[in-house]
Structure formats: C-alpha cells, structure tokens
C-alpha cells in the first residue's frame, strides 16, 4: 500500500498546485480593475496631496519645494479654519440626527404597508433623484428667498417677512432634504428583515412598547441605522454646493474653504488646501471608527 | 389556586374583515391541566391562543384569567407566557440573556435573576449553554430555550403555538414526552395549539377539537377518539370508515341504518337521532374484523366481502375490501405473528367475511 501511494500522491499534488495557481490568477483577474483604478486615481493623488501639505506656497499659486509645518499650524490656530471644522462637523451631526428621526418612523411605516403600497412609497422616496441635485437646490433658493414662496405666503396672511436664505437654517434644510433618501433606504432594508414576532415575544415577556423597541427592535435594526448615518454624515460634512447656494458666503463649511484655497483665492494655496483635506479625512475616519464601535457593540 | 378555571372564554367572537375567525367560542380550561386546541389550519385555534396572550383583542365576549377579566389588558400586563412557533428568540442576546429578559422587565433583583435563569436552564437540560447565541443551537435546543424563557416567569398559563412543528419526527416525539413531563413537574396550566392529532392525543389531559372558528367537542383523548360527537371529529382524529345511510329503526341506544343499496347496519347512538335522519355509520379500521370462515356466532354486522387491495406496513396490514356494490372499507389487522409465509396474509381477490360488534360502530350526524 505504502509503495503504491507514494507515486500516486505526487501527481495529484502537483496538479493541485496548478489548480491553486490558476485559482489565484482568476481571483487576481477579478481584483485587478478595481485595484488599478484605486491606485492610479486615488492612492497616487493622495500621496501627492500628502507631499504638498508639507511644502511652502509660492507667491503665484505655485509650490516651493521647501519642507514646512506652517500649513498645519495655520489650520489649528486660525479661527477661520478651526471654526469651519467645528461648523462642518456640527452641521453633519445635526443633519444626520434629524434625518434619522425622520427616516426611522418613515421606514417603519413603509415596511408595514401592503407590498403594493410599499413599492409606491419607496418610489416616492426616490423620485427626487430624477432631478439634478443642483436644480433642486436652486428650487430651495426660490422657496426661501426674501421675496420667495414662503415670504409671499407670510405677507399674504399679514406676517412680517423673515430672513430665511443665507442662514445656517437654510443650509440644514437643504442638506436634510437632499440626504434623507440615503437614510431611509438602509433603515428600510434592515426593518424589512426584522422579525416582528420578536416584538410580540418581548411584549409577552412583560416589556412595554417603548422597552420592546429599545431592547429588541433598535439593536436589531442598528446595522441600517449605522449605514444610513455614515451615508449621510460623510457627504454632508464635505458639502460645498448647498452651503454655497443656500448659505451665501455666510455659512462656510470645509468644502467651501477647500474650494476657495484650491481655485478661487488669489493666489491659490495648494499646500494649505492639501493639509486641510488630509486633516479632514483623518477626522472623518476617526469619527466613523468611533461610531461603528459604539453602534455595533450590541451584536458581538 | 389549584381548583377552578385558569382560563374561561365566554362567547368569544373574533372578526377579521367579514370573516369570523373565532365564532362564539366558550371554553373552560382547568387549573394545572394540559389542554390542547386541535384543528386544521384556519380553524381559529391560533387566534384563540393569541387572544389569551393579548396579541389580539376579542370583537365580543369575555376572557377570564383566574376569574379576572383580561379582555383588553395588553400582553405585557398578563401573567401569561407564550412559546412561539418560530421560537422568536432574540438573536442579539445570549441564551441566558434571553431567559433573563422577562425577569428584568419585572425588575427582579439581579442575584435572583441569575439563580432563576440557571434553574430554568437546568430544567430544560441546557445547563452550561447560557453564554451561547441562539443561532449556535440546534432546533430542539432553541425550542427548549423558548420554553425556559417562558417558564422562568412562573406564568399562570403557558401558551404553546405549534411549538414542535419545525422539528423532525423523532425529535418531535422526544419533545412530546419531555413537554408532558415538564408540565407535570411545574404544575402550570399548558394550552397547546396543534394540527397534529397524535401530538394532542399523546400529551393532553383534554382536547378541544375546532373547525371553522367553532369548538366541536371538548373531552379527554379517549372520549374524543372513542366517542366523537360528529362526523368531522371522527374523521379528523384518527381514521374511520363512513357508510352513509338513513336511520330506519331506533331501539334505546341501538340504531339500525340502511344505505338504500341493500346494506343494513347496526350501530350505537351517541347523539339524539330520529328515524329518517341522514347519518354516517363510523367504524374505525382497527375495530372491524376480517375472517375467512363465517364466525360461528354471527354478530349484528356481518358482510361477505372481496379483498381489493392489501398494504403491508410492518406492524399492521391494511386491507381495503369491497363491501356491497361500491363501498370500500378499510380494515387493519395487527401482525401478531412473525412470518414471511404468503398464506398468512390476505391476498387481492380473496373472499372473506367482514364483521364488527354493534358497539364498535357509531352513528353520527354530519
């Protein structure tokens, strides 16, 4: 038996090796397009930005090859920049929380309809995407403007005009409006998977409706809440279109400053912009890691 | 509170749209008994159970728990617990956390919770499984966690909604015995909903047979099987031959029925009848006999028959015979002798005599 198995054992082994190699080749084939794209268009520019952030800005918007930490020092000491960070994170947080408070009950309502109504309601949630985001934001300008729709109505019933446009409130309204579907959809998906018998079981075991929700339904739909929050928070913090159009020049978010540093200011200051973008990435990454830590704890 | 009724349902109606899912049901369930609601799907048994649990409120009628009306008391304020068909264990909690949930809701002190959870897990033979997640357990183990989670609260009544339905046959039989033993040990009233008649017969002290929202018969397993009060019950519980006919004579409990095609049968009366009533004579297949020779002392019901089909199923041989012109009749013979001799078994086309004592035939209305 032993003499027989030795030569037999070798042949399949080498062909197994070939198989494994072929398998690895196939997997790499799947990976390659994505990897190529990310390296060329994401990783390399990131390296450039990292490099720039330690260089000195020149007088004509050029970059002088001289190492410096000034860019970072400016970011953490000048009120303009510190405030922009705080404001952006704050606006992101408020937008996320308000979206959450609107989206969760809405998603729950939709899940509990009959299949026909569900599809219709989901369709309605998605309908704004059919129109360009910029156009929709201009529409908000028309609604909120000093002689816009709301103020005309106020005037018609004899109330004084309000300043609505070019305020933080206007920016928040525009952001919440725009981001809401991104919160509704993941929450809808996780509530749809939720087994409502579990709520009956909790109630049967003595939990009031509120406690059954907090102890059973919320933890089990947390993946949707977490996904929705990230999908809303990240683009919101980096927004510059909504804050530009609805906030005027008065509500500066990170995106607005970045845009200015890279293109509009005279001269452009790429090193400072690069440093700002990197710190921004770092802050977001830390915030998101922290968020996932606290929300997914329940499940492990 | 050992005497009296744990649950009383008084003229309960539950209407969904324009359908009466439960249609004027009145039932009393005694303290400490193992009570089953048995019927095909859509008979109202699960809806009745859900009304006792508080997940549905009756459209009309009253439900009493230990003499107190609980008609619209929400589930979390009733001392009643449920074992769900799908178990409904909380997937994000460990086994111990699942079992502790009810006690936490009642604000039981922490040390007592720990002790009672351990006791409950011991009781269902899951000692040491407290740290696992429900999804790491087999179906039978999940079932036992669901039981422990309910029983740990010491409910007045435990409701079980087809809890064995998802288990395979062998495990189901084991769980039947275990459930019954557990019920005897804890002395809590169990209300068990099932569509499986064997399950109900095996475990129950009493059974309510339901159909189309109504209770047809309530009785012990023996009563239900041996003295069904209508054709539906006789048909749903076990198997039975039904011969349709009309009552032609009545003599005390002794009923004579003719089928209009030349058959005259004698059976016993189990409900009031009059001459001329349309009836079914019901004879269980194991309560009739088939013999080659004409019996020396001919009984009331004796018919020459031809064997139509024979099915050997191991413990029994099931013989389908042709009775009269077009009546097929099922007879089961226990295989009490171990033999492979073909002549020991009936063969297709053989002639014989089918007979049964009048007391084994019940005359039932539809």
């Amino acid at each position: 038996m032993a003499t027989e198995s030795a030569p037999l054992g070798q042949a399949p082994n080498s062909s197994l090796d070939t198989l494994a190699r072929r398998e690895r080749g196939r997997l790499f084939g799947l990976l390659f397009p994505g990897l190529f794209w990310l390296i060329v268009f994401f990783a390399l520019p990131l390296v450039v930005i990292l490099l720039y952030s330690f260089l000195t800005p020149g007088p004509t918007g050029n970059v002088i090859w001289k190492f410096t930490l000034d860019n970072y020092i400016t970011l953490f000491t000048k009120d303009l920049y510190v405030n922009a960070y705080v404001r952006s994170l704050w606006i992101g947080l408020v937008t996320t929380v308000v979206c959450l408070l609107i989206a969760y009950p809405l998603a729950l309502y939709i899940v509990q309809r009959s299949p026909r109504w569900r599809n219709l309601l989901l369709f309605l949630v998605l309908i704004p995407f059919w129109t360009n985001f910029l156009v929709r934001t201009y529409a908000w300008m028309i609604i909120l403007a000093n002689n816009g729709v709301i103020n005309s109505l106020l005037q018609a019933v004899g109330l004084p005009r309000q300043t609505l446009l070019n305020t933080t409130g206007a920016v928040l309204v525009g952001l919440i409006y725009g981001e809401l579907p991104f919160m509704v959809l993941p929450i809808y998906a996780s509530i749809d998977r939720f087994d409502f018998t579990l709520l009956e079981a909790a109630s049967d075991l003595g939990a009031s409706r509120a406690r059954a929700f907090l102890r059973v339904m919320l933890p089990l739909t947390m993946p949707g809440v977490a996904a929705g929050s990230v999908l809303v928070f990240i683009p919101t913090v980096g927004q510059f279109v909504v804050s530009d159009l609805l906030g005027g020049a008065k509500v500066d978010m990170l995106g607005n400053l970045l845009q200015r540093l890279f293109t509009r200011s005279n001269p452009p200051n790429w090193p400072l912009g690069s440093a700002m973008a990197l710190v921004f990435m770092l802050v977001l990454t830390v915030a998101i890691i922290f968020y996932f830590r606290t929300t997914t704890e329940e499940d492990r | 509170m050992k005497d009296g009724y744990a649950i009383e349902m008084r003229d309960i109606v539950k209407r969904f749209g324009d359908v009466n899912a439960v249609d004027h049901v009145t039932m009393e369930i005694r303290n400490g008994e193992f009570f089953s609601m048995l019927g095909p799907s859509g008979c109202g048994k699960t809806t009745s159970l859900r009304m006792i649990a508080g997940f549905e409120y009756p459209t009309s009628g009253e439900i009493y728990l230990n003499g107190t009306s609980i008609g619209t008391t929400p589930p979390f304020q009733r001392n009643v617990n449920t074992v769900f068909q799908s178990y409904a264990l909380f997937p994000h909690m460990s086994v111990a956390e699942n079992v502790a949930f009810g006690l936490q809701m009642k604000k039981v002190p922490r040390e007592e919770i720990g002790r009672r959870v351990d006791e409950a897990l011991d009781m269902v033979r899951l000692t040491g499984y407290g740290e696992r997640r429900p999804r790491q357990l087999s179906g039978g183990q999940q079932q036992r966690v669901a039981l422990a989670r309910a029983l740990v609260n010491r409910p007045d009544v435990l409701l079980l909604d087809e809890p064995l339905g998802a288990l395979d046959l062998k495990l189901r039989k084991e769980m039947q015995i275990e459930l019954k033993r557990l019920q005897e040990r804890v002395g809590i009233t169990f209300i068990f909903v099932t569509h499986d008649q064997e399950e109900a017969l095996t475990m129950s002290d009493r059974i309510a047979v339901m159909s189309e929202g109504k209770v047809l018969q309530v009785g012990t397993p023996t009563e239900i099987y041996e003295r069904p009060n209508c054709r539906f019950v006789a048909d749903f519980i076990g198997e039975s031959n039904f011969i349709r006919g009309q009552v032609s004579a009545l003599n005390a409990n002794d009923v004579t029925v003719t089928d209009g095609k030349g058959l005259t049968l004698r059976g016993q009366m189990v409900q009031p009848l009059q001459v001329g009533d349309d009836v079914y004579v019901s004879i269980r297949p194991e309560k009739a006999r088939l013999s080659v020779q004409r019996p020396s002392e001919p009984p009331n019901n004796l018919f020459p028959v031809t064997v139509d089909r024979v099915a050997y199923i191991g413990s029994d041989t099931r013989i389908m015979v042709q009775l009269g012109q077009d009546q097929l009749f099922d007879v089961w013979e226990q295989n009490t002798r171990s033999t492979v001799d073909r002549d020991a078994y009936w063969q297709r086309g053989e002639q014989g005599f089918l007979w049964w004592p009048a007391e084994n035939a019940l005359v039932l209305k539809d």
Side-chain angles (χ1 to χ4, degrees):
Chain A
M1 284 303 270
T3 48
E4 258 178 23
S5 65
L8 274 176
Q10 271 173 354
N13 252 351
S14 59
S15 73
L16 271 181
D17 277 353
T18 323
L19 267 180
R21 224 175 298 128
R22 211 175 290 162
E23 180 70 6
R24 247 172 291 155
R26 215 170 56 85
L27 285 177
F28 183 75
L30 291 177
L31 187 61
F32 180 75
L35 198 63
F36 175 80
W37 193 266
L38 282 176
I39 287 176
V40 173
F41 297 106
F42 179 71
L44 290 180
L46 203 62
V47 171
V48 172
I49 286 187
L50 183 69
L51 194 65
Y52 269 36
S53 73
F54 291 104
L55 298 178
T56 310
T60 59
N62 58 339
V63 175
I64 298 167
W65 285 79
K66 199 179 129 214
F67 177 84
T68 175
L69 284 174
D70 282 355
N71 298 319
Y72 288 95
I73 292 166
T74 311
L75 282 183
F76 286 103
T77 50
K78 266 203 165 171
D79 280 353
L80 176 70
Y81 300 109
V82 174
N83 286 345
Y85 274 107
V86 172
R87 188 182 297 118
S88 292
L89 291 175
W90 174 244
I91 285 177
L93 192 69
V94 172
T95 305
T96 307
V97 169
V98 175
C99 278
L100 192 57
L101 292 179
I102 297 172
Y104 202 103
L106 178 63
L108 181 55
Y109 177 86
I110 296 176
V111 167
Q112 290 178 329
R113 295 311 100 187
S114 67
R116 236 184 81 212
W117 276 104
R118 281 177 179 218
N119 288 338
L120 181 68
L121 290 168
L122 280 179
F123 177 72
L124 289 178
V125 168
L126 291 175
I127 255 189
F129 288 143
W130 291 32
T131 313
N132 182 289
F133 183 67
L134 211 54
V135 173
R136 288 183 280 142
T137 308
Y138 277 121
W140 273 108
M141 288 177 78
I142 296 169
I143 294 171
L144 298 172
N146 279 340
N147 47 6
V149 177
I150 291 179
N151 273 325
S152 305
L153 286 175
L154 285 178
Q155 216 175 15
V157 295
L159 292 167
R161 284 167 180 260
Q162 305 289 320
T163 306
L164 300 170
L165 199 59
N166 301 341
T167 61
T168 310
V171 175
L172 280 174
V173 166
L175 287 172
I176 291 163
Y177 156 80
E179 301 294 337
L180 194 58
F182 296 106
M183 189 65 98
V184 174
L185 294 179
I187 294 181
Y188 170 84
S190 71
I191 296 181
D192 192 35
R193 277 197 304 272
F194 178 73
D195 174 10
F196 282 85
T197 318
L198 296 178
L199 282 186
E200 283 189 349
S203 175
D204 187 70
L205 292 167
S208 62
R209 285 171 68 98
R211 298 186 82 185
F213 174 76
L214 290 175
R215 290 287 307 270
V216 177
M217 189 166 176
L218 189 59
L220 287 171
T221 51
M222 200 41 104
V225 171
S229 299
V230 168
L231 283 180
V232 169
F233 185 75
I234 294 179
T236 303
V237 175
Q239 258 292 341
F240 62 94
V241 175
V242 173
S243 48
D244 204 30
L245 294 182
L246 300 181
K250 290 175 187 153
V251 189
D252 269 343
M253 291 178 70
L254 285 175
N256 304 100
L257 290 184
L258 273 179
Q259 195 197 11
R260 235 172 280 161
L261 286 173
F262 276 103
T263 63
R264 289 192 194 167
S265 58
N266 194 16
N269 188 341
W270 284 40
L272 184 58
S274 299
M276 191 167 188
L278 279 176
V279 172
F280 176 40
M281 259 183 74
L282 209 66
V283 169
L284 275 186
T285 310
V286 169
I288 285 157
I289 289 173
F290 177 75
Y291 185 75
F292 270 106
R293 279 273 167 81
T294 50
T295 51
T296 52
E297 209 173 27
E298 284 276 359
D299 202 32
R300 248 299 91 176
Chain B
M1 182 111 183
K2 268 287 119 198
D3 303 321
Y5 298 125
I7 293 287
E8 289 174 76
M9 297 178 79
R10 292 258 164 272
D11 201 29
I12 293 292
V13 174
K14 178 63 185 182
R15 185 183 290 272
F16 291 118
D18 50 6
V19 180
N20 280 359
V22 173
D23 197 3
H24 298 283
V25 161
T26 295
M27 258 191 288
E28 286 107 11
I29 296 152
R30 295 174 193 141
N31 249 311
E33 81 175 328
F34 197 122
F35 188 90
S36 291
M37 297 185 196
L38 174 64
S41 59
C43 73
K45 56 191 193 302
T46 295
T47 308
S48 298
L49 196 80
R50 289 174 60 80
M51 283 191 284
I52 298 172
F55 303 137
E56 311 276 358
Y57 297 142
T59 309
S60 69
E62 272 299 342
I63 301 178
Y64 299 91
L65 171 63
N66 289 329
T68 312
S69 170
I70 52 165
T72 54
T73 311
F76 59 91
Q77 287 166 358
R78 303 181 179 202
N79 196 18
V80 164
N81 287 114
T82 308
V83 175
F84 293 84
Q85 187 168 14
S86 59
Y87 316 143
L89 298 177
F90 305 127
H92 58 306
M93 298 183 196
S94 70
V95 167
E97 285 166 343
N98 264 280
V99 178
F101 190 87
L103 299 176
Q104 286 169 356
M105 292 301 122
K106 285 186 195 136
K107 307 258 195 295
V108 172
R110 186 179 278 257
E111 315 80 66
E112 193 188 332
I113 292 181
R115 188 171 50 74
R116 280 170 68 177
V117 167
D118 287 345
E119 273 173 24
L121 288 177
D122 287 349
M123 187 172 65
V124 297
R125 299 190 289 111
L126 282 176
T127 315
Y129 281 78
E131 295 311 310
R132 306 246 187 131
R133 295 272 159 168
R135 65 169 176 272
Q136 295 172 300
L137 304 182
S138 69
Q141 288 169 333
Q142 291 185 19
Q143 163 76 73
R144 300 213 295 268
V145 176
L147 264 172
R149 185 177 70 172
L151 283 173
V152 76
N153 304 293
R154 296 173 190 153
D156 293 331
V157 176
L158 183 74
L159 308 174
L160 302 106
D161 183 10
E162 306 226 11
L164 309 182
L167 305 178
D168 64 55
L169 187 65
K170 195 155 188 285
L171 198 55
R172 198 152 69 216
K173 301 235 163 174
E174 282 173 30
M175 280 304 295
Q176 288 174 9
I177 296 164
E178 195 170 323
L179 258 184
K180 179 67 182 164
R181 197 179 291 149
L182 199 61
Q183 192 262 340
E184 281 163 0
R185 214 171 99 201
V186 296
I188 290 172
T189 311
F190 276 33
I191 304 179
F192 188 90
V193 157
T194 181
H195 65 270
D196 182 332
Q197 36 123 350
E198 195 185 317
E199 208 163 270
L201 292 173
T202 314
M203 292 189 285
S204 315
D205 295 316
R206 289 194 309 147
I207 299 170
V209 183
M210 298 182 70
S211 170
E212 291 174 354
K214 293 190 165 68
V215 175
L216 299 179
Q217 187 173 7
V218 180
T220 62
T222 328
E223 284 166 359
I224 297 278
Y225 187 81
E226 303 292 350
R227 291 291 177 271
N229 66 2
C230 62
R231 190 198 135 113
F232 180 88
V233 174
D235 197 17
F236 190 72
I237 315 290
E239 288 188 39
S240 201
N241 295 288
F242 294 103
I243 299 168
R244 200 171 169 174
Q246 275 190 330
V247 177
S248 60
L250 282 168
N251 179 15
N253 259 352
D254 190 14
V255 188
T256 308
V257 175
T258 51
D259 80 338
K261 292 172 205 156
L263 284 181
T264 302
L265 306 118
R266 302 267 297 276
Q268 48 164 333
M269 183 156 77
V270 289
Q271 66 195 122
L273 293 172
Q274 290 185 329
V275 172
D277 281 349
D278 285 321
V279 290
Y280 291 90
V281 180
S282 160
I283 309 109
R284 301 272 187 207
E286 78 280 8
K287 291 184 177 15
R289 284 296 157 78
L290 197 57
S291 52
V292 187
Q293 308 285 327
R294 171 180 278 270
S296 54
E297 235 176 275
N300 293 325
N301 299 286
L302 176 72
F303 308 94
V305 292
T306 313
V307 173
D308 185 64
R309 251 177 297 142
V310 181
Y312 170 82
I313 62 154
S315 59
D316 293 354
T317 304
R318 302 188 166 177
I319 307 130
M320 189 70 83
V321 298
Q322 174 122 25
L323 166 65
Q325 287 162 14
D326 54 1
Q327 179 80 43
L328 286 173
F329 193 103
D330 205 10
V331 195
W332 297 351
E333 267 186 1
Q334 234 188 337
N335 297 327
T336 49
R337 243 183 79 210
S338 178
T339 174
V340 289
D341 180 5
R342 272 177 62 99
D343 292 341
Y345 303 99
W346 289 93
Q347 304 296 328
R348 188 186 179 133
E350 267 186 281
Q351 308 281 316
F353 292 94
L354 174 71
W355 54 276
W356 62 85
E359 69 200 39
N360 283 5
L362 306 177
V363 182
L364 303 171
K365 285 197 195 171
D366 207 348

